[in-house]
Amino acid sequence: MNAEIIAVGSELLLGQIANTNAQFISKQLAEIGVNVFYHTVVGDNGTRLKKAIETAQQRANLIIFTGGLGPTKDDLTKETIAEVLGKQLVIHQGALDSIEDYFRQTNRVMTPNNRKQALVLEGSTVLFNHYGMAPGMALKIDDIHYMLLPGPPKEMQPMFQKFGQAYIKKQLGKTERIESRVLRFFGIGESQLETEIEDLLDRQSNPTIAPLAGDGEVTLRLTAKHSSLEEAMKMLDEAEKEIQRRVGEYFYGYDDTSLYAELAETLKEKKLTIASAESLTGGLFSERLTSIPGAGSITRGGIVSYHTDVKEHCLGVSHDTLHDYGAVSHQCAKEMAENVRKLCGSDIGISFTGVAGPKIQEGKEVGTVFMGIAIEDCPTEVFHLQLSGDRQSIRTKTVKYGCHYLLRLLHV
Amino acid sequence: MNAEIIAVGSELLLGQIANTNAQFISKQLAEIGVNVFYHTVVGDNGTRLKKAIETAQQRANLIIFTGGLGPTKDDLTKETIAEVLGKQLVIHQGALDSIEDYFRQTNRVMTPNNRKQALVLEGSTVLFNHYGMAPGMALKIDDIHYMLLPGPPKEMQPMFQKFGQAYIKKQLGKTERIESRVLRFFGIGESQLETEIEDLLDRQSNPTIAPLAGDGEVTLRLTAKHSSLEEAMKMLDEAEKEIQRRVGEYFYGYDDTSLYAELAETLKEKKLTIASAESLTGGLFSERLTSIPGAGSITRGGIVSYHTDVKEHCLGVSHDTLHDYGAVSHQCAKEMAENVRKLCGSDIGISFTGVAGPKIQEGKEVGTVFMGIAIEDCPTEVFHLQLSGDRQSIRTKTVKYGCHYLLRLLHV
């Protein structure tokens, strides 16, 4: 089976957004061993879309479309496919019901054009949309599979993962097992990590080892192919073992986890609660931790002490500390962590104070960060970081280092 | 002139990276009035690249390639184009000199495969690469323009901006002005907005009107073409005036702004400070507002009262309120906003309490949100929202509604 992904939308051709949908689907297809030979982007134009479909029919037997399933006039993906394939569009009652439900629930008036979203290609398998109104669909005609997915990534991604991939796997029948495992590292640069495993990268073949860096993290994706699942897993285990021996110190988790999810999991296991006192990060640590469902059992909340007055009057950092050492200091980070722990009644208090930029502050350079971790009955630890990057990058790295150091302390 | 952008690289088809090069070039081309009709991505495979070129020759008269100009065996863009066009590759002395210089300067040994990077298509205009070794090139054969650019965005972007765009403008001869303006709306659904301006969308031609929805917002991009800048601006003004007359109520800003940036700007202008009390949003409002440089003059900080104890003991919400009405209530939102304002000594207090999901809470449905706004010497306002979507989407919409309602109150 070889695939082509056709993204439909003039916003892509105008450069308003990047085609991240093709990236996402390609990654998922690679994991189940489907080759992708082409990506195509075409605008909201029936004639050109029709030509793109005809070209794809010559060179692929799985054509996946994203976008153009919405309620407006320029959404014409399914109409054009229906025309090319000589199929009718029919109302899908389940989809129509859920669209009507959506409007009822949100107390909004359903305009008539929304009915159009419930139209599907006759004979197709309908893929449910749990995050939006337009359903997806899949069908096979003359040995070519067609799959239609909505454009917004928030709708497309869960639909493809939940229904799309399963549909394709079923069509594939049995094939070679392709097993992947992503190892996630923090606190080591990409080039340093690659140097440590250079010989493994040079002689890789099966499993393959693909490094990828971003946002202060480095990941290695190991992919093994074998007819037996057991053998494929064994190959991954062996490759991982050698990598862990060399750089395991920086490893924090597998696959789609995050430092925040790992921290939340560890706190849950150890039945510990946490509260944060945030200055330069402005609530980012707390926001990331509470983005995880079930955060209620581990997070008490915290104080965003962006202004010095709030540090002093809400958080109780002593006037002398602020006066003698400044807000960006070891001493201030220590008091922030200890005080927020007591104020919020948590087992752990964590604090972040520093200079996110663009300007220096208290004579301290952009990227200077102090981070405190106060744990009941333990001496408070304070870490000093010197980070690079723009404002948002410094803030993100700061909270990731917070997770990283706290995880280390908790795993001792 | 109409363009197709062909990105060459298997890493794109494997989903390792998104095709941001096509996005960048498309945006730049839109600005100079060149229509882009297709993007194509093809792997490092000579046969399939050849087919992609032949397809593009049928439908475009400007074909821009990115990637595959490097030193390794799988870099075969110029070799394949040479074959399709029946052209030779010749060493470009300037390019070779600068490659040799690069190795001398960095004290590295030049491997023979690096010489390959100095090969260019005979008769082409060479585009210099100030950030890497592979030069770009442009040439015209049989009324079709071909432009070859390197794959790494750090090399491609400055090359296209400095040389590529100028080359294309020169070919275009007379330059029509293309002016764009993005109008941003919040609080109105995409389909409702389109219904309100349906007749304008139907008869659009110059300026064009392109709607785009995402993350609870809707934008309209107006694009006018005219030989005179003044006329183009006048056309945009007229189109905007009619749109504002119909849906201006939901308009909040132009181009690349955000609700957070607009709120920060308004607070700065009015010399007002703000503090937030956040429950379901976990610090997201505060984090977004402090992500804007210079937030120090408007944000005091706030309290993340995720746990009920923190609402009661840090934020001072009365025990009776929490007991009688619950944490997700009008009354609790009101006290949270009023108390955080006093505690942090700000002019405005804003609060968010609700159910982000996945589970119901206090018998209240997922998506139930109460939001309080307390302004000194004004009666506190409380808003009740019923939102849909997953956990993160509800949290994001909640803080956007916070900005939206506060902006309305401040602009009265």
Side-chain angles (χ1 to χ4, degrees):
Chain A
M1 191 179 270
N2 67 72
E4 172 155 351
I5 301 166
I6 300 182
V8 187
S10 299
E11 66 277 16
L12 288 155
L13 295 180
L14 285 166
Q16 289 172 5
I17 53 171
N19 189 6
T20 54
N21 282 344
Q23 180 188 13
F24 178 86
I25 296 169
S26 296
K27 213 184 236 173
Q28 303 283 318
L29 290 177
E31 282 175 17
I32 55 170
V34 174
N35 293 315
V36 178
F37 284 163
Y38 294 95
H39 295 170
T40 298
V41 177
V42 60
D44 301 312
N45 175 294
T47 313
R48 286 193 285 274
L49 174 55
K50 207 174 149 188
K51 278 193 195 159
I53 297 169
E54 287 161 359
T55 302
Q57 285 173 328
Q58 307 301 315
R59 57 192 191 185
N61 53 13
L62 168 63
I63 309 177
I64 300 182
F65 298 82
T66 59
L69 301 184
T72 69
K73 287 209 177 107
D74 61 0
D75 291 308
L76 35 72
T77 302
K78 58 194 175 193
E79 291 74 4
T80 310
I81 296 171
E83 194 192 325
V84 173
L85 299 179
K87 291 276 165 192
Q88 295 296 312
L89 289 171
V90 293
I91 283 284
H92 185 268
Q93 197 54 47
L96 186 60
D97 290 348
S98 73
I99 293 168
E100 287 172 347
D101 273 359
Y102 172 84
F103 280 94
R104 249 195 306 277
Q105 274 170 26
T106 55
N107 280 317
R108 288 165 55 196
V109 179
M110 180 169 158
T111 50
N113 55 359
N114 281 294
R115 232 184 114 81
K116 177 173 169 259
Q117 297 190 93
L119 286 171
V120 302
L121 288 158
E122 55 169 333
S124 64
T125 303
V126 170
L127 313 177
F128 284 96
N129 189 340
H130 289 310
Y131 297 91
M133 287 183 283
M137 61 208 89
L139 78 166
K140 185 184 178 186
I141 310 249
D142 297 333
D143 283 328
I144 300 181
H145 295 277
Y146 300 83
M147 184 175 288
L148 287 70
L149 302 170
K154 279 184 188 166
E155 301 176 25
M156 186 282 292
Q157 292 183 6
M159 185 188 289
F160 187 75
Q161 283 183 311
K162 199 154 186 184
F163 305 114
Q165 220 180 17
Y167 177 91
I168 295 164
K169 270 187 179 164
K170 202 174 146 196
Q171 307 300 325
L172 283 172
K174 77 155 192 59
T175 51
E176 207 171 34
R177 297 296 305 221
I178 310 245
E179 292 298 320
S180 267
R181 183 180 301 172
V182 175
L183 310 182
R184 307 186 74 95
F185 300 88
F186 185 80
I188 182 171
E190 187 186 18
S191 57
Q192 196 197 331
L193 186 136
E194 291 195 21
T195 305
E196 299 285 346
I197 59 164
E198 198 173 12
D199 55 320
L200 305 180
L201 290 172
D202 281 349
R203 64 166 196 257
Q204 59 164 310
S205 65
N206 187 16
T208 56
I209 306 172
L212 192 66
D215 239 9
E217 307 194 22
V218 195
T219 63
L220 292 176
R221 173 180 291 266
L222 316 183
T223 307
K225 294 188 190 190
H226 200 283
S227 55
S228 125
L229 170 64
E230 208 186 347
E231 282 302 314
M233 294 305 277
K234 220 168 111 187
M235 287 158 73
L236 290 179
D237 288 344
E238 275 165 25
E240 182 188 340
K241 201 174 152 196
E242 182 55 25
I243 293 167
Q244 293 281 16
R245 195 181 66 74
R246 301 188 191 190
V247 287
E249 185 186 351
Y250 303 97
F251 171 80
Y252 76 80
Y254 293 101
D255 302 320
D256 287 333
T257 188
S258 67
L259 280 159
Y260 314 109
E262 291 297 317
L263 179 58
E265 198 49 46
T266 302
L267 292 172
K268 223 173 269 175
E269 266 173 28
K270 297 190 182 273
K271 296 197 190 340
L272 292 171
T273 60
I274 190 167
S276 56
E278 303 190 54
S279 183
L280 84 155
T281 51
L284 182 60
F285 177 82
S286 170
E287 188 276 318
R288 288 291 79 208
L289 210 58
T290 56
S291 72
I292 294 158
S297 64
I298 53 154
T299 322
R300 308 286 293 189
I303 291 175
V304 179
S305 55
Y306 205 71
H307 195 282
T308 306
D309 283 0
V310 176
K311 286 189 188 71
E312 189 172 342
H313 299 123
C314 292
L315 202 46
V317 174
S318 82
H319 184 79
D320 288 351
T321 295
L322 293 168
H323 183 267
D324 297 348
Y325 302 101
V328 180
S329 66
H330 180 106
Q331 291 77 2
C332 184
K334 182 169 180 284
E335 287 184 40
M336 285 170 71
E338 289 171 353
N339 295 1
V340 82
R341 191 183 81 72
K342 283 178 214 148
L343 279 168
C344 295
S346 58
D347 301 307
I348 303 168
I350 189 166
S351 70
F352 306 95
T353 180
V355 189
K359 283 188 264 183
I360 63 161
Q361 197 183 315
E362 299 179 350
K364 281 131 192 165
E365 264 179 70
V366 172
T368 309
V369 174
F370 292 93
M371 203 176 73
I373 299 179
I375 305 185
E376 201 171 9
D377 299 328
C378 295
T380 300
E381 302 255 6
V382 177
F383 301 87
H384 176 200
L385 305 171
Q386 199 61 50
L387 303 172
S388 61
D390 64 10
R391 188 175 170 87
Q392 198 55 30
S393 161
I394 287 172
R395 287 157 50 105
T396 303
K397 286 180 195 160
T398 295
V399 298
K400 285 188 175 178
Y401 268 106
C403 296
H404 174 69
Y405 284 122
L406 181 51
L407 278 168
R408 287 198 170 191
L409 287 176
L410 294 174
H411 283 142
V412 164
Chain B
M1 191 178 270
N2 68 71
E4 171 155 352
I5 301 167
I6 301 183
V8 186
S10 298
E11 67 279 16
L12 289 154
L13 295 180
L14 286 166
Q16 289 169 3
I17 53 170
N19 190 6
T20 54
N21 282 343
Q23 181 187 13
F24 178 85
I25 296 168
S26 296
K27 216 184 234 171
Q28 304 284 317
L29 290 177
E31 281 173 18
I32 56 171
V34 175
N35 293 315
V36 179
F37 284 164
Y38 295 95
H39 294 171
T40 298
V41 177
V42 60
D44 301 312
N45 176 294
T47 313
R48 285 193 286 275
L49 174 53
K50 206 174 149 187
K51 278 192 195 161
I53 298 169
E54 287 161 359
T55 302
Q57 285 173 328
Q58 308 300 315
R59 58 192 191 186
N61 52 13
L62 169 62
I63 309 177
I64 300 182
F65 299 82
T66 59
L69 301 184
T72 69
K73 280 195 190 123
D74 62 0
D75 291 308
L76 34 73
T77 302
K78 57 194 176 192
E79 291 75 4
T80 310
I81 296 172
E83 194 191 325
V84 173
L85 299 179
K87 291 276 166 192
Q88 295 296 311
L89 289 171
V90 293
I91 284 283
H92 185 269
Q93 196 54 48
L96 186 60
D97 290 349
S98 74
I99 292 169
E100 286 172 349
D101 273 357
Y102 172 82
F103 279 94
R104 250 195 305 277
Q105 275 170 26
T106 54
N107 280 319
R108 288 166 55 197
V109 179
M110 180 168 155
T111 51
N113 56 358
N114 281 294
R115 233 183 112 80
K116 176 172 172 260
Q117 296 190 93
L119 286 170
V120 301
L121 288 157
E122 54 169 333
S124 64
T125 303
V126 171
L127 314 176
F128 285 97
N129 189 341
H130 289 311
Y131 297 89
M133 287 183 283
M137 60 208 89
L139 78 167
K140 185 183 177 186
I141 310 249
D142 297 335
D143 283 330
I144 300 180
H145 295 277
Y146 300 83
M147 184 176 287
L148 287 69
L149 302 169
K154 278 182 191 167
E155 301 177 26
M156 186 282 290
Q157 292 182 7
M159 185 187 289
F160 186 74
Q161 283 182 312
K162 200 153 184 185
F163 306 114
Q165 221 179 18
Y167 176 91
I168 295 164
K169 270 188 180 165
K170 203 174 145 196
Q171 306 301 325
L172 282 172
K174 73 161 188 61
T175 54
E176 211 172 29
R177 296 295 307 219
I178 310 261
E179 292 298 320
S180 266
R181 182 180 301 171
V182 174
L183 310 181
R184 309 185 73 95
F185 300 87
F186 185 82
I188 182 170
E190 185 187 17
S191 56
Q192 196 197 331
L193 185 137
E194 293 198 17
T195 304
E196 300 286 344
I197 60 165
E198 198 173 12
D199 55 320
L200 304 181
L201 289 172
D202 281 348
R203 65 167 195 258
Q204 59 164 309
S205 63
N206 188 16
T208 56
I209 306 171
L212 189 67
D215 240 8
E217 306 195 22
V218 194
T219 64
L220 292 176
R221 173 181 290 266
L222 316 183
T223 307
K225 296 186 192 191
H226 200 282
S227 55
S228 124
L229 170 63
E230 208 186 345
E231 282 303 313
M233 295 304 278
K234 220 169 111 185
M235 287 158 73
L236 290 179
D237 288 344
E238 274 165 26
E240 181 187 341
K241 201 174 152 196
E242 182 56 25
I243 293 167
Q244 293 282 14
R245 195 181 66 75
R246 301 188 191 189
V247 287
E249 184 186 352
Y250 303 98
F251 171 79
Y252 76 82
Y254 293 103
D255 302 319
D256 288 332
T257 188
S258 67
L259 280 160
Y260 314 110
E262 290 297 317
L263 179 57
E265 198 50 45
T266 302
L267 293 173
K268 225 173 269 176
E269 266 173 29
K270 296 189 181 274
K271 296 198 190 339
L272 292 170
T273 59
I274 190 168
S276 55
E278 302 191 57
S279 183
L280 84 154
T281 51
L284 181 60
F285 177 83
S286 170
E287 189 276 318
R288 289 289 78 209
L289 211 57
T290 57
S291 72
I292 293 159
S297 65
I298 53 156
T299 322
R300 307 287 293 188
I303 291 176
V304 179
S305 56
Y306 206 71
H307 196 281
T308 306
D309 283 1
V310 176
K311 286 188 188 69
E312 189 173 341
H313 299 124
C314 292
L315 202 47
V317 174
S318 82
H319 185 79
D320 289 351
T321 295
L322 293 168
H323 182 267
D324 297 348
Y325 302 102
V328 180
S329 67
H330 180 105
Q331 290 78 2
C332 184
K334 182 169 180 286
E335 287 185 40
M336 284 170 70
E338 291 171 353
N339 295 1
V340 81
R341 191 184 81 71
K342 284 180 213 145
L343 280 168
C344 295
S346 58
D347 301 307
I348 302 168
I350 189 166
S351 70
F352 306 96
T353 180
V355 189
K359 282 188 265 182
I360 64 162
Q361 196 184 316
E362 299 179 349
K364 281 131 192 166
E365 263 180 70
V366 172
T368 308
V369 173
F370 292 93
M371 201 176 74
I373 299 179
I375 305 185
E376 203 170 6
D377 299 327
C378 295
T380 300
E381 302 255 5
V382 178
F383 301 87
H384 175 199
L385 305 171
Q386 198 62 49
L387 303 172
S388 61
D390 65 9
R391 187 175 170 84
Q392 198 55 28
S393 160
I394 288 172
R395 287 157 48 105
T396 303
K397 285 180 195 159
T398 296
V399 298
K400 285 189 174 179
Y401 268 106
C403 295
H404 174 70
Y405 283 123
L406 181 50
L407 278 168
R408 287 198 168 190
L409 288 176
L410 294 175
H411 284 142
V412 165

